[in-house]
Coordinates of all heavy atoms in Angstrom, one line a residue:
Q1026 N -13.5 -6.7 -5.8 CA -12.9 -5.5 -6.4 C -12.6 -5.7 -7.9 O -12.8 -4.8 -8.7 CB -11.6 -5.1 -5.7 CG -11.8 -4.5 -4.3 CD -10.5 -4.2 -3.6 OE1 -9.5 -4.6 -4.0 NE2 -10.6 -3.4 -2.5
R1027 N -12.1 -6.9 -8.2 CA -11.9 -7.2 -9.6 C -13.2 -7.3 -10.4 O -13.3 -6.9 -11.6 CB -11.1 -8.5 -9.7 CG -9.7 -8.4 -9.6 CD -9.0 -9.7 -10.0 NE -9.5 -10.9 -9.5 CZ -8.9 -11.5 -8.4 NH1 -7.8 -11.1 -7.9 NH2 -9.4 -12.6 -8.0
L1028 N -14.3 -7.9 -9.8 CA -15.5 -8.0 -10.5 C -16.2 -6.6 -10.7 O -16.8 -6.4 -11.8 CB -16.5 -8.8 -9.7 CG -16.2 -10.3 -9.6 CD1 -17.2 -11.0 -8.7 CD2 -16.2 -10.9 -11.0
C1029 N -16.0 -5.7 -9.8 CA -16.5 -4.3 -10.0 C -15.8 -3.6 -11.1 O -16.3 -2.6 -11.6 CB -16.4 -3.5 -8.7 SG -17.6 -4.1 -7.4
G1030 N -14.6 -4.0 -11.3 CA -13.8 -3.4 -12.4 C -13.0 -2.2 -11.8 O -13.3 -1.7 -10.7
S1031 N -12.1 -1.7 -12.6 CA -11.3 -0.6 -12.1 C -11.8 0.7 -12.7 O -11.1 1.4 -13.4 CB -9.8 -0.8 -12.5 OG -9.7 -1.0 -13.9
Q1032 N -13.1 0.9 -12.5 CA -13.7 2.1 -13.0 C -13.1 3.3 -12.2 O -13.1 3.2 -11.0 CB -15.2 2.1 -12.9 CG -15.9 1.0 -13.7 CD -17.3 1.0 -13.4 OE1 -17.8 1.7 -12.5 NE2 -18.0 0.1 -14.1
G1033 N -12.7 4.3 -12.9 CA -12.1 5.4 -12.2 C -13.1 6.1 -11.3 O -14.3 6.1 -11.5
S1034 N -12.6 6.7 -10.2 CA -13.5 7.4 -9.3 C -14.0 8.7 -9.9 O -14.9 9.3 -9.3 CB -12.8 7.6 -8.0 OG -11.7 8.4 -8.2
A1035 N -13.5 9.1 -11.0 CA -14.0 10.3 -11.6 C -15.4 10.2 -12.1 O -16.2 11.2 -12.1 CB -13.1 10.7 -12.8
G1036 N -15.9 9.0 -12.4 CA -17.3 8.9 -12.8 C -18.2 8.9 -11.7 O -19.4 9.2 -11.9
K1037 N -17.8 8.8 -10.5 CA -18.6 8.7 -9.3 C -18.6 10.1 -8.6 O -19.2 10.2 -7.5 CB -18.1 7.7 -8.3 CG -18.2 6.3 -8.9 CD -17.6 5.3 -8.0 CE -17.6 3.9 -8.6 NZ -16.9 2.9 -7.7
L1038 N -17.9 11.1 -9.1 CA -17.8 12.4 -8.4 C -19.1 13.2 -8.6 O -19.6 13.2 -9.7 CB -16.6 13.1 -8.9 CG -15.2 12.6 -8.7 CD1 -14.1 13.4 -9.3 CD2 -15.0 12.4 -7.2
S1039 N -19.4 13.9 -7.6 CA -20.5 14.9 -7.8 C -20.0 16.1 -8.5 O -18.8 16.3 -8.7 CB -21.1 15.2 -6.4 OG -20.2 16.0 -5.7
S1040 N -20.9 16.9 -8.9 CA -20.5 18.1 -9.7 C -19.7 19.1 -8.7 O -18.7 19.7 -9.2 CB -21.7 18.9 -10.2 OG -22.6 19.2 -9.2
G1041 N -20.1 19.2 -7.5 CA -19.3 20.0 -6.5 C -17.9 19.5 -6.3 O -16.9 20.3 -6.2
Q1042 N -17.7 18.2 -6.3 CA -16.4 17.6 -6.2 C -15.6 17.8 -7.4 O -14.4 18.1 -7.3 CB -16.5 16.1 -5.9 CG -17.0 15.8 -4.5 CD -17.3 14.3 -4.3 OE1 -17.6 13.6 -5.3 NE2 -17.1 13.8 -3.1
R1043 N -16.2 17.7 -8.6 CA -15.4 18.0 -9.8 C -15.0 19.5 -9.9 O -13.9 19.8 -10.2 CB -16.3 17.7 -11.0 CG -16.3 16.2 -11.3 CD -16.9 15.9 -12.7 NE -18.3 16.4 -12.9 CZ -19.4 15.7 -12.5 NH1 -19.2 14.5 -12.0 NH2 -20.6 16.2 -12.7
V1044 N -15.9 20.4 -9.4 CA -15.6 21.8 -9.4 C -14.4 22.1 -8.4 O -13.5 22.8 -8.7 CB -16.8 22.7 -9.1 CG1 -16.4 24.1 -8.8 CG2 -17.8 22.6 -10.2
A1045 N -14.5 21.5 -7.3 CA -13.5 21.7 -6.2 C -12.1 21.1 -6.8 O -11.1 21.8 -6.6 CB -13.9 20.9 -5.0
D1046 N -12.1 20.0 -7.5 CA -10.9 19.5 -8.0 C -10.3 20.4 -9.1 O -9.1 20.6 -9.2 CB -11.1 18.1 -8.6 CG -11.2 17.0 -7.5 OD1 -10.9 17.3 -6.3 OD2 -11.7 15.9 -7.8
M1047 N -11.2 20.9 -9.9 CA -10.8 21.8 -11.0 C -10.2 23.1 -10.4 O -9.2 23.6 -10.9 CB -11.9 22.2 -12.0 CG -12.3 21.0 -12.9 SD -13.4 21.4 -14.2 CE -14.7 22.3 -13.4
V1048 N -10.9 23.7 -9.4 CA -10.4 24.9 -8.8 C -9.0 24.7 -8.1 O -8.1 25.5 -8.3 CB -11.4 25.5 -7.8 CG1 -10.8 26.6 -6.9 CG2 -12.7 26.0 -8.5
A1049 N -8.9 23.6 -7.4 CA -7.7 23.2 -6.7 C -6.6 23.0 -7.7 O -5.4 23.5 -7.5 CB -7.8 22.0 -5.8
A1050 N -6.9 22.3 -8.8 CA -5.8 22.1 -9.8 C -5.4 23.3 -10.5 O -4.2 23.6 -10.8 CB -6.4 21.1 -10.8
T1051 N -6.4 24.2 -10.7 CA -6.1 25.5 -11.4 C -5.2 26.4 -10.5 O -4.2 26.9 -10.9 CB -7.4 26.2 -11.8 OG1 -8.1 25.3 -12.7 CG2 -7.0 27.5 -12.6
M1052 N -5.7 26.6 -9.3 CA -5.0 27.5 -8.4 C -3.7 26.9 -7.9 O -2.9 27.7 -7.3 CB -5.9 27.8 -7.2 CG -7.2 28.6 -7.6 SD -8.1 29.2 -6.3 CE -7.2 30.8 -6.0
G1053 N -3.5 25.7 -8.0 CA -2.2 25.1 -7.6 C -1.2 24.9 -8.7 O -0.3 24.1 -8.6
S1054 N -1.4 25.7 -9.8 CA -0.5 25.5 -10.9 C 0.3 26.8 -11.1 O 0.0 27.9 -10.7 CB -1.4 25.3 -12.2 OG -2.1 26.5 -12.5
W1055 N 1.4 26.6 -11.8 CA 2.3 27.7 -12.1 C 1.7 28.7 -13.1 O 1.9 29.9 -13.0 CB 3.6 27.2 -12.7 CG 4.6 26.7 -11.6 CD1 4.9 25.5 -11.3 CD2 5.3 27.6 -10.7 NE1 5.8 25.4 -10.3 CE2 6.1 26.7 -9.9 CE3 5.4 28.9 -10.6 CZ2 6.9 27.2 -8.9 CZ3 6.2 29.4 -9.5 CH2 6.9 28.6 -8.7
R1056 N 0.9 28.1 -13.9 CA 0.1 29.0 -14.9 C -0.7 30.0 -14.1 O -0.7 31.2 -14.5 CB -0.7 28.1 -15.8 CG -1.5 28.9 -16.8 CD -2.3 28.0 -17.7 NE -3.0 28.8 -18.7 CZ -4.1 28.4 -19.3 NH1 -4.5 27.1 -19.1 NH2 -4.7 29.1 -20.2
F1057 N -1.5 29.6 -13.1 CA -2.3 30.5 -12.4 C -1.4 31.5 -11.6 O -1.8 32.7 -11.6 CB -3.1 29.7 -11.3 CG -3.9 30.6 -10.4 CD1 -5.1 31.1 -10.9 CD2 -3.5 30.8 -9.2 CE1 -5.9 31.9 -10.0 CE2 -4.3 31.7 -8.3 CZ -5.4 32.2 -8.8
I1058 N -0.3 31.1 -11.0 CA 0.5 32.0 -10.3 C 1.1 33.0 -11.2 O 1.1 34.2 -10.9 CB 1.7 31.2 -9.6 CG1 1.1 30.3 -8.5 CG2 2.7 32.1 -9.0 CD1 2.0 29.4 -7.8
I1059 N 1.5 32.6 -12.4 CA 2.1 33.6 -13.3 C 1.1 34.6 -13.8 O 1.3 35.8 -13.9 CB 2.8 32.8 -14.5 CG1 4.0 32.1 -14.0 CG2 3.2 33.8 -15.7 CD1 4.6 31.1 -15.0
I1060 N -0.1 34.1 -14.2 CA -1.2 34.9 -14.7 C -1.6 35.9 -13.6 O -1.8 37.1 -13.8 CB -2.4 34.1 -15.2 CG1 -2.0 33.4 -16.5 CG2 -3.6 35.0 -15.4 CD1 -3.1 32.4 -16.9
Q1061 N -1.8 35.4 -12.4 CA -2.2 36.3 -11.3 C -1.1 37.3 -10.9 O -1.5 38.5 -10.7 CB -2.6 35.5 -10.0 CG -3.1 36.4 -8.9 CD -3.8 35.6 -7.8 OE1 -3.8 34.4 -7.8 NE2 -4.3 36.3 -6.8
T1062 N 0.1 36.9 -10.9 CA 1.2 37.9 -10.7 C 1.2 39.0 -11.8 O 1.4 40.1 -11.5 CB 2.5 37.1 -10.6 OG1 2.5 36.1 -9.6 CG2 3.7 38.1 -10.3
T1063 N 1.0 38.6 -13.0 CA 1.0 39.5 -14.1 C -0.2 40.5 -13.9 O 0.0 41.7 -14.1 CB 0.9 38.8 -15.4 OG1 1.9 37.9 -15.6 CG2 0.9 39.8 -16.6
I1064 N -1.3 40.0 -13.6 CA -2.5 40.9 -13.4 C -2.2 41.9 -12.2 O -2.5 43.1 -12.3 CB -3.8 40.1 -13.1 CG1 -4.2 39.4 -14.4 CG2 -4.9 40.9 -12.6 CD1 -5.3 38.3 -14.3
L1065 N -1.7 41.3 -11.1 CA -1.4 42.2 -10.0 C -0.4 43.3 -10.3 O -0.6 44.5 -9.9 CB -0.9 41.4 -8.8 CG -2.0 40.4 -8.2 CD1 -1.4 39.6 -7.1 CD2 -3.2 41.2 -7.6
V1066 N 0.7 42.9 -11.0 CA 1.7 43.9 -11.3 C 1.1 44.9 -12.3 O 1.3 46.2 -12.1 CB 2.9 43.2 -12.0 CG1 3.8 44.2 -12.7 CG2 3.7 42.4 -11.0
F1067 N 0.3 44.5 -13.2 CA -0.4 45.4 -14.2 C -1.3 46.4 -13.4 O -1.3 47.6 -13.7 CB -1.1 44.6 -15.2 CG -1.7 45.4 -16.3 CD1 -0.9 46.0 -17.3 CD2 -3.1 45.5 -16.4 CE1 -1.5 46.8 -18.3 CE2 -3.7 46.3 -17.4 CZ -2.9 46.9 -18.4
W1068 N -2.1 45.8 -12.5 CA -3.0 46.6 -11.6 C -2.2 47.7 -10.9 O -2.6 48.9 -10.9 CB -3.7 45.7 -10.7 CG -4.7 46.3 -9.7 CD1 -4.5 47.2 -8.7 CD2 -6.1 46.2 -9.8 NE1 -5.6 47.5 -8.1 CE2 -6.7 46.9 -8.7 CE3 -7.0 45.5 -10.6 CZ2 -8.1 47.0 -8.5 CZ3 -8.3 45.5 -10.3 CH2 -8.9 46.3 -9.3
V1069 N -1.2 47.3 -10.2 CA -0.4 48.3 -9.4 C 0.3 49.3 -10.3 O 0.2 50.5 -10.0 CB 0.7 47.5 -8.6 CG1 1.7 48.5 -7.9 CG2 0.0 46.7 -7.5
I1070 N 0.8 48.9 -11.4 CA 1.5 49.9 -12.3 C 0.5 50.9 -12.9 O 0.7 52.1 -12.9 CB 2.2 49.1 -13.5 CG1 3.4 48.4 -12.9 CG2 2.6 50.1 -14.6 CD1 4.1 47.5 -13.9
L1071 N -0.7 50.4 -13.3 CA -1.7 51.3 -13.8 C -2.2 52.3 -12.8 O -2.5 53.5 -13.1 CB -2.9 50.5 -14.4 CG -2.7 49.9 -15.8 CD1 -4.0 49.2 -16.2 CD2 -2.4 51.0 -16.8
N1072 N -2.4 51.9 -11.5 CA -2.8 52.7 -10.5 C -1.8 53.7 -10.0 O -2.1 54.7 -9.4 CB -3.5 51.9 -9.3 CG -4.9 51.5 -9.6 OD1 -5.7 52.4 -9.7 ND2 -5.1 50.3 -9.9
V1073 N -0.5 53.3 -10.1 CA 0.5 54.2 -9.6 C 0.8 55.3 -10.7 O 1.1 56.4 -10.4 CB 1.8 53.4 -9.2 CG1 3.0 54.3 -9.0 CG2 1.5 52.6 -8.0
T1074 N 0.9 54.9 -11.9 CA 1.3 55.8 -13.0 C 0.1 56.5 -13.6 O 0.4 57.5 -14.3 CB 2.0 55.0 -14.1 OG1 1.1 54.0 -14.6 CG2 3.3 54.4 -13.6
A1075 N -1.1 56.1 -13.5 CA -2.2 56.8 -14.1 C -2.5 58.1 -13.4 O -2.8 58.2 -12.3 CB -3.5 55.9 -14.1
Y1076 N -2.3 59.2 -14.2 CA -2.6 60.5 -13.6 C -4.0 60.9 -13.7 O -4.5 61.6 -12.8 CB -1.7 61.6 -14.4 CG -0.3 61.4 -14.3 CD1 0.5 60.9 -15.3 CD2 0.4 61.7 -13.1 CE1 1.9 60.8 -15.2 CE2 1.7 61.5 -12.9 CZ 2.5 61.0 -14.0 OH 3.8 60.9 -13.9
V1077 N -4.7 60.4 -14.6 CA -6.1 60.8 -14.8 C -7.1 59.9 -14.1 O -7.9 60.4 -13.3 CB -6.5 60.8 -16.3 CG1 -7.9 61.2 -16.6 CG2 -5.5 61.7 -17.1
Q1078 N -7.0 58.6 -14.3 CA -8.0 57.7 -13.7 C -7.4 56.7 -12.8 O -6.9 55.7 -13.1 CB -8.6 56.9 -14.9 CG -9.8 56.1 -14.6 CD -11.1 57.0 -14.3 OE1 -11.1 58.1 -14.7 NE2 -12.1 56.4 -13.8
R1079 N -7.3 57.0 -11.5 CA -6.9 56.1 -10.5 C -8.1 55.5 -9.8 O -8.7 56.1 -8.9 CB -6.0 56.8 -9.4 CG -4.7 57.3 -10.0 CD -3.9 57.8 -8.9 NE -2.6 58.3 -9.5 CZ -1.7 59.1 -8.9 NH1 -2.0 59.4 -7.6 NH2 -0.6 59.4 -9.4
W1080 N -8.5 54.3 -10.2 CA -9.6 53.7 -9.6 C -9.3 53.0 -8.3 O -10.2 52.7 -7.5 CB -10.3 52.7 -10.6 CG -9.4 51.5 -10.9 CD1 -9.4 50.3 -10.2 CD2 -8.5 51.3 -11.9 NE1 -8.5 49.5 -10.7 CE2 -7.9 50.1 -11.8 CE3 -8.0 52.2 -13.0 CZ2 -6.9 49.6 -12.7 CZ3 -7.0 51.7 -13.8 CH2 -6.5 50.4 -13.6
D1081 N -8.0 52.8 -8.0 CA -7.6 52.2 -6.7 C -6.3 52.8 -6.3 O -5.2 52.2 -6.5 CB -7.5 50.6 -6.9 CG -7.4 49.9 -5.6 OD1 -7.7 50.5 -4.5 OD2 -7.0 48.7 -5.6
P1082 N -6.3 53.9 -5.6 CA -5.1 54.6 -5.2 C -4.3 53.7 -4.2 O -4.7 52.7 -3.7 CB -5.5 55.9 -4.6 CG -7.0 55.8 -4.4 CD -7.5 54.7 -5.2
Y1083 N -3.1 54.3 -3.9 CA -2.0 53.6 -3.2 C -2.3 52.4 -2.2 O -1.9 51.4 -2.4 CB -1.0 54.5 -2.6 CG -0.1 53.8 -1.7 CD1 0.8 52.8 -2.1 CD2 -0.1 54.0 -0.3 CE1 1.6 52.1 -1.3 CE2 0.8 53.4 0.5 CZ 1.6 52.4 0.1 OH 2.4 51.7 0.9
P1084 N -3.0 52.6 -1.2 CA -3.1 51.4 -0.3 C -3.8 50.2 -1.0 O -3.9 49.1 -0.5 CB -3.8 51.8 0.9 CG -4.4 53.1 0.7 CD -3.8 53.7 -0.6

Side-chain angles (χ1 to χ4, degrees):
Q1026 288 175 347
R1027 277 194 307 260
L1028 290 176
C1029 291
S1031 59
Q1032 298 173 355
S1034 61
K1037 299 177 184 177
L1038 296 179
S1039 70
S1040 60
Q1042 290 173 329
R1043 283 193 298 274
V1044 169
D1046 286 346
M1047 287 188 313
V1048 168
T1051 302
M1052 294 188 86
S1054 68
W1055 277 107
R1056 181 179 178 202
F1057 176 80
I1058 292 171
I1059 291 169
I1060 290 172
Q1061 184 166 3
T1062 303
T1063 304
I1064 290 171
L1065 293 176
V1066 168
F1067 187 68
W1068 181 290
V1069 170
I1070 289 172
L1071 282 179
N1072 277 291
V1073 169
T1074 61
Y1076 294 110
V1077 179
Q1078 189 75 12
R1079 290 187 183 167
W1080 68 89
D1081 191 18
Y1083 166 62

